[in-house]
Amino acid sequence: QSVSPVVVVLGVGSAGMASSPCGDGNFDCGLQIQTRSVEQTLIPLVSQITTLINHKDKLKKTEKTLRAVQRVGQAVSVAVGRFVVVGEAIAAENEDLKDEMGLACFEARRAGTAIAQLTDVSSLEQCEGDGRSTVFSDRTGMVKAARMLLSSVTKVLVLADCIVIKQIISSRNKVLVTLEQLERVSTFQEFVQIFSQFGNEMVEFAHLTGDRQNDLKDEKKRARMAAARAVLEKCTMMLLTASKTCLRHPDCESARINKEAVFQRMRLALEQVIEIVTDTRSGGEARALPVSIYAGIKDFKVKVEGLRDSLYCVSCEAVAAQLEALMEKTEDFTDSAYTSHEQRETIIQLCQITRQETKQLINTWRHQQSLKAKEATDEMELSILKTCQSVSDLRRELHRVAVGRATELLKLHSDHLVLQALKASGGDGNLEAVADYAGTLNEHKEQLVETCRLLCHISGTEPLEITCIHAEETFRVIGPQIISAAQTLALHPTSKIAKENLDVFCEAWESQLCDIAILLKEINDVFEGRRGKHSANLKTVKAAKLDAEEQTTIAKLGLELCLLTSDVDSEVERWDEQDHEMVRLCQIISSMAYSMYLFTRGEGLLKTTLDLFHQAEVRQHSFSLIGFLIESVRSAIKSNESPGKDGSIYY
């Protein structure tokens, strides 16, 4: 866990901090600061307190100095008083935190008052009889009050942060309840009603978790949160189309499999979010990242270079064992069926060179130890340099192989021919062709999964490793989902809902390929020393610039538009006269609504808010008919009727 350097420096510990009731009851907030906002709140207070306790004593203090110190002390006391008022209000609104928050506020107020008294000029003047004075008479008391103040204020901030965590947990719980309801629905009308509620809840959850992601100090947690949120965002649309397909074709086994996979993935992503915000693991087990080759090489070099300072800091056996563990991981490259013969030979040769140089280093090292040498000799220094150079050459070659493989695959899949073939075969009802192309897609999936694993080995930072793992899991899951969606379409080739469902999963695959391209650039930047800010949102920057309230509004409208699109498409598909004017107009509005929904996700043909407004102006006449159309559709849903040629309803 990340601990604030502010707290560490000033000696604020977590002793005596009771387990907080936030989360599921087993989450201990402690005084460990997890978020940037809490740390930034403490910095001004730390600055003022440091001014007070780090002054240099002089033989005599001037009136100006004394007054300045008094102003600082009073400013601290006033600021703490205001802060405590807010903390007490929070305590009053949260019964389960009332006692802890109340005690922390009491301690903060008392410490602030003590600091004001210790820096009061009138009390200082009474202590100048011996001809010497300090800024305050009781330096020990000031240090004690400062530490109490920092401890209590930090405790209040951490407890307040627990409320944010509780909000996220509460939002997740609401989403889970609605998710279970969606999974059990049996009619389209019921699904429409519940999905509307689900959309609003997901928008709220997305904003809460987005704010938390940006506030987290730990880069690994931010990357994990970004991955989980990306899954939830993409799965929301998948859930809509997969559920619609299952409702439209309730006896289709492939549709059921497709739907269940989406629900399962959403539940896992929701659980991962809660693990991150509460810093806990389901079942209590620790789940560490697998050690990558890059991390292994970095640690190996640190140990080897550390021999310059001490020949006895680590054992020869430990270094040899670490090297062999590192060599074993390179088998992910050499054992791959997709690694060329030349690449395999080069990697094996570099591994052998590294082993030889390390062996020579160990021999020299042991000789130096036998002579009770105090420091590394020139011979030892040369062995250290050669060993580090050989392992760096190995890393460079592994980087070249992994990045080259990924680049080739991106070029190979840029035309998405297999996805297009699956769509065409499914639309033709050709199950045999779907099976053939499914085999090809499976092969592509395995290539991409393995490539993501290799990229993880050489990515260079833990956040990028997490992003590689997310990409690997995404390809592993979406591949079979595309196949099941294609099978459903092949069984029901005239079903527009089944076609829409396949399109959504294919778009998710294409989107992940785009994310891999971004990831490749970031990995190269790290390798070449141009490390920039990791794109934790896993997507390209949107052209639209909206504030938080506008984003919330348009996201909700986007989901509603998408739902109305689904509603219209589902009913239009059941109407016999597909060339009817009402049907044509419904389809135009449906297409427009879906384009607007894609805009809210940063996708589709509409790139800026200006495009969105222009679309609305062009289609203003069509929008004026939405109310009438939706009412007609809903009436038709209720009575199983179809619209007449003149817009009336007939049986």
Side-chain angles (χ1 to χ4, degrees):
Q1 293 180 345
S2 177
V3 182
S4 169
V6 168
V7 177
V8 172
V9 168
L10 292 171
V12 182
S14 58
M17 180 64 182
S19 179
S20 176
C22 67
D24 297 326
N26 59 354
F27 173 58
D28 187 357
C29 292
L31 288 184
Q32 293 175 327
I33 298 174
Q34 305 287 344
T35 58
R36 295 171 175 173
S37 58
V38 171
E39 185 168 80
Q40 290 300 313
T41 303
L42 287 172
I43 287 176
L45 179 60
V46 171
S47 177
Q48 290 177 320
I49 289 177
T50 303
T51 299
L52 292 175
I53 65 177
N54 286 351
H55 73 283
K56 295 180 179 179
D57 294 339
K58 297 181 180 179
L59 290 178
K60 196 70 177 176
K61 296 296 179 183
T62 65
E63 180 71 15
K64 182 178 180 181
T65 302
L66 295 176
R67 294 293 179 186
V69 171
Q70 183 181 37
R71 285 195 298 272
V72 173
Q74 289 176 340
V76 170
S77 181
V78 171
V80 170
R82 293 171 179 167
F83 176 81
V84 166
V85 169
V86 177
E88 290 171 341
I90 293 173
E93 296 174 359
N94 295 270
E95 187 66 29
D96 50 354
L97 295 177
K98 185 175 182 180
D99 293 340
E100 283 184 275
M101 184 71 84
L103 177 60
C105 288
F106 172 77
E107 291 176 349
R109 193 188 296 276
R110 185 174 64 174
T113 301
I115 289 174
Q117 291 173 347
L118 288 167
T119 56
D120 184 59
V121 173
S122 60
S123 65
L124 293 175
E125 291 171 347
Q126 298 173 4
C127 302
E128 295 183 355
D130 60 355
R132 293 173 62 90
S133 74
T134 62
V135 174
F136 30 78
S137 57
D138 185 1
R139 184 181 181 86
T140 302
M142 175 59 73
V143 172
K144 182 178 179 181
R147 286 183 174 176
M148 178 183 291
L149 180 60
L150 255 287
S151 176
S152 55
V153 168
T154 304
K155 192 179 295 185
V156 171
L157 290 171
V158 172
L159 288 171
D161 191 58
C162 287
I163 296 172
V164 176
I165 295 174
K166 288 172 63 179
Q167 289 176 337
I168 294 175
I169 293 172
S170 176
S171 179
R172 185 281 307 259
N173 291 341
K174 289 194 295 184
V175 169
L176 275 179
V177 170
T178 311
L179 198 64
E180 291 176 0
Q181 293 174 349
L182 281 174
E183 198 168 17
R184 295 194 303 264
V185 298
S186 57
T187 66
F188 191 82
Q189 295 87 343
E190 183 184 6
F191 175 79
V192 168
Q193 180 182 1
I194 298 176
F195 188 85
S196 179
Q197 176 187 344
F198 176 76
N200 290 333
E201 291 171 353
M202 282 299 297
V203 168
E204 176 192 0
F205 187 72
H207 277 277
L208 288 172
T209 54
D211 291 342
R212 189 67 180 183
Q213 175 186 320
N214 294 331
D215 199 20
L216 286 169
K217 291 172 55 184
D218 191 297
E219 290 186 351
K220 292 183 292 182
K221 290 182 179 179
R222 286 205 302 274
R224 291 183 63 222
M225 180 74 86
R229 294 180 68 243
V231 170
L232 291 172
E233 178 185 351
K234 292 177 181 178
C235 279
T236 298
M237 186 60 183
M238 295 177 187
L239 182 146
L240 174 61
T241 57
S243 297
K244 282 169 43 186
T245 305
C246 224
L247 288 169
R248 185 71 177 85
H249 309 289
D251 299 326
C252 183
E253 180 66 12
S254 57
R256 183 190 61 78
I257 292 172
N258 186 258
K259 170 188 163 184
E260 288 180 352
V262 176
F263 276 87
Q264 175 65 11
R265 195 164 185 229
M266 287 199 78
R267 288 192 175 94
L268 290 175
L270 288 167
E271 185 61 32
Q272 179 172 326
V273 169
I274 300 306
E275 288 179 359
I276 296 165
V277 299
T278 60
D279 205 29
T280 58
R281 299 291 187 189
S282 56
E285 76 279 4
R287 191 187 312 162
L289 281 174
V291 178
S292 66
I293 291 177
Y294 173 85
I297 288 176
K298 183 178 180 181
D299 188 54
F300 178 78
K301 289 178 68 176
V302 167
K303 283 186 172 61
V304 169
E305 291 174 342
L307 296 175
R308 293 190 178 102
D309 301 322
S310 174
L311 297 174
Y312 308 94
C313 61
V314 64
S315 69
C316 303
E317 292 76 11
V319 171
Q322 186 174 5
L323 176 66
E324 285 310 309
L326 193 58
M327 297 297 101
E328 186 177 343
K329 290 184 181 298
T330 63
E331 293 175 3
D332 284 347
F333 287 78
T334 56
D335 290 352
S336 171
Y338 308 109
T339 300
S340 69
H341 176 72
E342 293 77 11
Q343 291 173 336
R344 185 177 293 107
E345 288 298 314
T346 301
I347 293 171
I348 292 173
Q349 183 180 9
L350 288 171
C351 286
Q352 187 61 29
I353 293 172
T354 302
R355 283 192 176 98
Q356 291 172 354
E357 296 297 348
T358 304
K359 183 179 179 180
Q360 179 61 38
L361 170 65
I362 290 175
N363 290 337
T364 306
W365 180 10
R366 283 175 173 158
H367 178 66
Q368 296 297 315
Q369 286 181 329
S370 68
L371 298 176
K372 308 296 182 183
K374 300 291 185 181
E375 58 185 19
T377 61
D378 290 345
E379 183 182 5
M380 184 75 178
E381 174 67 22
L382 182 60
S383 289
I384 290 173
L385 290 174
K386 285 185 175 181
T387 301
C388 290
Q389 183 60 49
S390 64
V391 81
S392 294
D393 290 343
L394 174 61
R395 181 206 165 194
R396 186 176 296 106
E397 177 62 20
L398 296 177
H399 176 90
R400 188 180 70 83
V401 171
V403 170
R405 168 88 62 79
T407 303
E408 289 174 4
L409 281 180
L410 287 176
K411 290 180 180 178
L412 177 65
H413 300 319
S414 60
D415 51 13
H416 309 298
L417 290 179
V418 177
L419 300 182
Q420 294 173 14
L422 277 170
K423 292 178 184 179
S425 301
D428 293 338
N430 191 336
L431 278 169
E432 184 177 349
V434 166
D436 289 340
Y437 288 118
T440 304
L441 184 67
N442 259 326
E443 182 180 348
H444 289 181
K445 178 203 71 176
E446 291 301 323
Q447 290 177 345
L448 288 165
V449 164
E450 184 177 279
T451 300
C452 290
R453 190 179 303 120
L454 300 187
L455 288 175
C456 182
H457 272 308
I458 56 90
S459 56
T461 70
E462 287 185 317
L464 287 176
E465 287 178 19
I466 291 168
T467 306
C468 290
I469 293 171
H470 164 72
E472 177 185 340
E473 181 62 22
T474 299
F475 284 122
R476 191 189 305 280
V477 172
I478 290 185
Q481 289 178 317
I482 291 175
I483 293 171
S484 61
Q487 290 170 343
T488 301
L489 179 59
L491 292 170
H492 308 279
T494 61
S495 173
K496 292 183 179 178
I497 292 178
K499 180 181 182 301
E500 177 191 11
N501 187 51
L502 178 56
D503 288 341
V504 166
F505 282 95
C506 289
E507 287 169 8
W509 177 281
E510 294 168 8
S511 175
Q512 191 57 54
L513 286 173
C514 292
D515 290 343
I516 290 293
I518 297 171
L519 181 60
L520 267 181
K521 181 182 183 305
E522 293 181 336
I523 290 174
N524 274 324
D525 286 346
V526 171
F527 182 77
E528 296 172 10
R530 301 192 309 267
R531 181 181 177 184
K533 184 177 179 182
H534 176 52
S535 59
N537 61 352
L538 300 172
K539 62 200 312 185
T540 54
V541 178
K542 297 181 181 180
K545 301 295 182 183
L546 307 172
D547 60 30
E549 184 177 353
E550 290 171 330
Q551 288 176 11
T552 301
T553 301
I554 200 166
K556 288 181 178 179
L557 289 173
L559 283 171
E560 291 172 3
L561 282 170
C562 195
L563 188 59
L564 289 174
T565 301
S566 302
D567 196 341
V568 171
D569 287 346
S570 175
E571 293 310 311
V572 164
E573 184 179 341
R574 296 168 58 184
W575 295 346
D576 295 331
E577 299 187 36
Q578 293 294 309
D579 59 344
H580 190 280
E581 180 65 19
M582 176 73 80
V583 174
R584 188 187 65 80
L585 192 53
C586 280
Q587 290 171 336
I588 291 174
I589 296 175
S590 173
S591 175
M592 179 175 57
Y594 187 61
S595 296
M596 295 175 72
Y597 169 73
L598 290 178
F599 170 79
T600 67
R601 301 177 61 197
E603 302 171 6
L605 298 177
L606 305 180
K607 299 302 182 184
T608 67
T609 48
L610 185 62
D611 294 339
L612 182 68
F613 298 148
H614 179 67
Q615 173 85 330
E617 291 173 0
V618 171
R619 300 295 187 178
Q620 185 175 9
H621 174 67
S622 298
F623 267 121
S624 66
L625 297 177
I626 285 182
F628 168 72
L629 287 171
I630 296 302
E631 287 303 316
S632 298
V633 170
R634 293 196 183 281
S635 298
I637 291 173
K638 292 178 182 178
S639 57
N640 290 323
E641 298 167 345
S642 298
K645 294 183 181 297
D646 58 354
S648 61
I649 301 296
Y650 71 97
Y651 287 97

